[in-house]
Amino acid sequence: MKHRGILVVVSGFSGAGKGTLMERLVKSYENYALSVSMTTRPPRPGEQDGREYFFVSKETFERRIAEEAFVEYAQYCGNYYGTPKEYVERQLACGKDVILEIEIQGALRIKEKFPDALLLFVTPPSIRELQRRLTGRGTDSQAVIHDRLLRAGEEAEGIENYDYLVINDDLDECAAKMHRLIQDAHSAPCRNEEFIEEIRAQLDELKKGEE
Ligand code: ADP
Ligand code: 5GP
């Protein structure tokens, strides 16, 4: 029986290590498809259009909203970010587990639209370590880092909406843990409704045969 993939939402404070973890996950395990979002934020040094994000103007982004091209979108620190619909639907239908690395407003919208999505929240082991990672990444000014740490305070209020908290201390251990959580999620009854219906239908047949 061919299974539909799971929609996996990964959120976490900026600098928690989400991007690094996703890269590790996709490299180490099969069957994951990483959704590439569209954004109006400018590329960081080293980022490539179509790889980390599709970088577009505000006008283009707003046109895509009007065309209903996003599964969800949100504003974060003054920029738009959104998940293109077509890729996600195609990969889920192929049986891939699709990972959306998105912030909390988008995550909550996904949960409303797709109640069987799996929501994971990644944190570093401490906020001191978060500051170290943000500074060490060397991609953002002190003002941007300050903005992102303020935003982290707001995001921390929503952690209980997620299914699991994943602490990114050792990178390999964390990627392995995330993989296990996603694989185990495949066994939840809410993600096996077709199979359960099939088993029930077979039991009904059996009962009818005995009547
Ligand atoms: P995010 O995508 O959550 O904003 P990044 O993946 O860009 O975060 O990681 C932020 C910084 O922290 C990067 O410099 C990355 O190399 C580093 N980092 C990520 N995970 C770990 C880890 N487990 N231990 C130490 N440093 C890490
Ligand atoms: P960054 O600018 O650091 O790449 O991303 C900023 C925040 O936007 C991160 O929390 C990231 O997870 C989130 N984000 C990236 N893409 C999307 C998206 O398509 N939708 C939403 N809602 N958030 C996104």
Side-chain angles (χ1 to χ4, degrees), residues 8-27:
V8 182
V9 171
V10 176
S11 303
F13 312 135
S14 181
K18 303 180 295 296
T20 314
L21 261 173
M22 296 305 96
E23 207 178 294
R24 185 61 58 104
L25 204 64
V26 171
K27 218 186 273 171

Side-chain angles (χ1 to χ4, degrees), residues 92-106:
L92 286 176
C94 290
K96 293 265 188 192
D97 292 335
V98 179
I99 303 184
L100 311 183
E101 192 235 291
I102 63 178
E103 53 66 68
I104 196 161
Q105 304 165 69

